[in-house]
Amino acid sequence: MGRYNFEKAPCRVGHHTYKWKEAEKDREVLPAWIADMDFEVLPEIQQAVHDYANQLVYGYTYASEELINAVLDWERDEHDYTFEREALVFIEGVVPAISTAIQAFSEEGDAVLINTPVYPPFARSVKLNNRQLITNSLIEQDGLFQIDFEQLERDIANNEVKIYVLCNPHNPGGRVWEREVLEKIGRLCQKYGVLLVSDEIHQDLTLFGHEHQSFNTVSPDFKDFSLILASATKTFNIAGTKNSYAVIENPSLRYQFKKRQLANNQHEIPGLGFLTTEAAYRYGWSWLMELKKVLEKNVNFVVDYFAKEAPRLRVMKPQGTYLIWLDFSDYSLTDDQLFQLLREEAKVVLNRGSDFGQEGKGHARLNVAAPETMVEEICSRIAEVLPK
Ligand SMILES: Cc1ncc(COP(=O)(O)O)c(C=O)c1O
């Protein structure tokens, strides 16, 4: 047993969380969908919340020097990424930052490219901002997502793409993009004058020895046309405290981003999020190391279990994140039939693959950030209801 408790899930029923909402109506339901974890937070984060409560007044707050240093230190120590403190821009969430970037750096009708299947708010942010959505499909090779670079170049050139929103590590599928892949992406962006928005929120959650490479560490000239988006919220299970940051090294891009942030009145960040982020980055390293071991064990369990108990179900083993992309297409069920089976018979809630793009038809995303026993129960319920 480690120093922290990853064996017992805290009871979240009644806390008005999206993840457990269905379980509030039906106590038999086990949720394994939205990306938060059923583990207790790091004790120092809980302490930071207590300290905040003890302030007794919850007014407007600014980012402290201690917080800025904690982020700079984390990025340097964990990701070998150093940058000037001026480049750091705090914002409530990575998703709001994607919308702000789309608004700041393109006009209505402009083309914005994403690699599908991908985290649904990417497409939503493009479409609701009245930009043209260009989807470049990832291809599956040897159980991993890959980018078809010839198709990518055609998609960028033919549509005069202005912005490329990259997901690194990729959700779903847990692909940790290598330096060579990022190098090719960067060179294409340079060639066609594309602004690269790199969502690196899963950067700390790399597994099985895979290492995250931040886009800006690939080549110094990439910093001229990029925004890196990251946060401690996914890694440390503090998404509800709302805090993330953009690293924008090009001063002119930073100016435009901040101006748009101000226009959207997004510059005030909750003080609680500042404190939880600082505590996470200052004290969370050992917790994260233990978490990753638990996640690796859970991922391995899922891969082995379904290979034995439901061999027609194809499992994409992630290189990072706690999200597993499951391919049910061999069962020839419609999505409605599949999700009816999962929800009503197995009583588990997974994400619908088709929400991630048309490539996700017949797929589902499984979240394994939960105690081993819960993951085992979810898998056994799924295997039991699938046709043999
Ligand atoms: C790729 C990706 N980006 C962003 C987010 C959410 O970001 P935020 O809560 O900071 O808006 C998630 C959450 O799962 C995610 O998977």
Side-chain angles (χ1 to χ4, degrees):
M1 199 167 133
R3 202 166 129 202
Y4 301 106
N5 180 8
F6 291 103
E7 276 107 50
K8 194 167 172 292
C11 176
R12 300 174 69 193
V13 172
H15 293 178
H16 313 295
T17 63
Y18 283 117
K19 191 173 185 184
W20 284 84
K21 196 171 177 189
E22 289 286 300
E24 282 167 358
K25 286 182 268 171
D26 176 353
R27 291 300 301 267
E28 272 187 68
V29 163
L30 279 177
W33 64 296
I34 199 166
D36 63 34
M37 307 194 257
D38 287 303
F39 297 126
E40 284 173 10
V41 291
L42 173 79
E44 284 85 351
I45 293 179
Q46 189 188 18
Q47 186 58 49
V49 176
H50 280 301
D51 293 345
Y52 181 74
N54 288 339
Q55 290 178 4
L56 298 180
V57 180
Y58 312 120
Y60 299 114
T61 45
Y62 60 87
S64 66
E65 288 305 303
E66 291 84 352
L67 168 67
I68 294 169
N69 290 337
V71 174
L72 293 173
D73 290 352
W74 185 266
E75 289 288 345
R76 184 198 58 221
D77 296 345
E78 294 307 305
H79 303 296
D80 212 9
Y81 182 28
T82 46
F83 49 85
E84 299 294 323
R85 58 208 301 117
E86 291 72 36
L88 191 59
V89 182
F90 287 95
I91 184 161
E92 257 189 342
V94 164
V95 172
I98 291 172
S99 278
T100 306
I102 289 170
Q103 294 160 6
F105 304 113
S106 67
E107 303 291 332
E108 290 209 2
D110 281 348
V112 180
L113 183 138
I114 60 176
N115 302 109
T116 45
V118 74
Y119 178 57
F122 279 28
R124 186 185 72 205
S125 306
V126 176
K127 288 195 258 185
L128 291 182
N129 280 296
N130 299 322
R131 271 53 170 182
Q132 189 196 347
L133 179 68
I134 309 298
T135 55
N136 171 264
S137 297
L138 293 171
I139 46 179
E140 208 183 313
Q141 265 170 10
D142 304 325
L144 280 184
F145 277 135
Q146 301 289 0
I147 293 176
D148 175 347
F149 275 98
E150 284 176 18
Q151 185 59 42
L152 180 64
E153 180 156 11
R154 279 194 295 273
D155 287 340
I156 291 176
N158 295 346
N159 297 292
E160 295 179 29
V161 164
K162 291 276 181 316
I163 300 177
Y164 179 170
V165 188
L166 176 72
C167 196
N168 178 31
H170 192 86
N171 165 14
R175 184 74 165 86
V176 178
W177 300 115
E178 298 89 357
R179 171 181 275 271
E180 307 78 67
V181 172
L182 298 172
E183 170 93 35
K184 282 193 198 167
I185 290 175
R187 297 293 163 220
L188 276 181
C189 289
Q190 273 178 324
K191 183 170 171 188
Y192 292 98
V194 177
L195 181 108
L196 199 279
V197 177
S198 188
D199 176 340
E200 302 186 6
I201 197 168
H202 294 281
Q203 64 177 355
D204 303 312
L205 295 168
T206 51
L207 306 174
F208 307 113
H210 293 278
E211 275 185 33
H212 172 72
Q213 181 90 43
S214 177
F215 183 74
N216 277 0
T217 60
V218 174
S219 176
D221 48 344
F222 286 3
K223 299 171 182 177
D224 294 341
F225 57 89
S226 65
L227 279 78
I228 308 300
L229 307 178
S231 85
T233 56
K234 200 86 349 203
T235 314
F236 291 98
N237 215 20
I238 49 176
T241 69
K242 301 306 286 177
N243 189 268
S244 82
Y245 51 91
V247 185
I248 314 175
E249 297 208 51
N250 176 328
S252 135
L253 294 182
R254 192 162 66 238
Y255 172 79
Q256 288 176 69
F257 182 88
K258 282 180 147 179
K259 193 169 151 199
R260 189 72 217 190
Q261 199 182 9
L262 204 57
N264 290 345
N265 295 309
Q266 289 174 315
H267 55 296
E268 295 289 355
I269 322 285
L272 182 60
F274 282 144
L275 294 178
T276 54
T277 295
E278 187 187 332
Y281 281 169
R282 279 277 169 245
Y283 307 110
W285 190 83
S286 322
W287 186 92
L288 175 59
M289 294 306 117
E290 261 188 54
L291 168 74
K292 292 217 253 186
K293 289 215 173 68
V294 173
L295 297 180
E296 286 175 352
K297 201 163 168 214
N298 286 354
V299 167
N300 282 332
F301 171 80
V302 172
V303 171
D304 295 344
Y305 184 82
F306 286 135
K308 220 163 78 221
E309 303 298 331
R312 291 168 66 190
L313 172 56
R314 288 181 54 230
V315 179
M316 187 177 269
K317 185 175 178 178
Q319 299 174 325
T321 81
Y322 47 75
L323 307 165
I324 306 188
W325 193 233
L326 300 177
D327 180 356
F328 293 85
S329 47
D330 196 48
Y331 292 100
S332 302
L333 298 165
T334 64
D335 276 0
D336 283 347
Q337 287 169 329
L338 172 63
F339 282 87
Q340 165 87 4
L341 201 63
L342 293 172
R343 173 64 184 83
E344 301 306 328
E345 305 289 324
K347 293 205 181 267
V348 296
V349 188
L350 308 187
N351 283 89
R352 263 184 194 247
S354 57
D355 289 345
F356 295 71
Q358 45 93 13
E359 302 84 352
K361 208 166 142 276
H363 291 68
R365 193 190 70 177
L366 169 70
N367 175 344
V368 295
E372 198 179 355
T373 48
M374 199 190 291
V375 174
E376 286 171 9
E377 171 68 17
I378 288 166
C379 290
S380 108
R381 288 192 194 184
I382 295 172
E384 213 159 283
V385 299
L386 287 174
K388 294 299 166 222

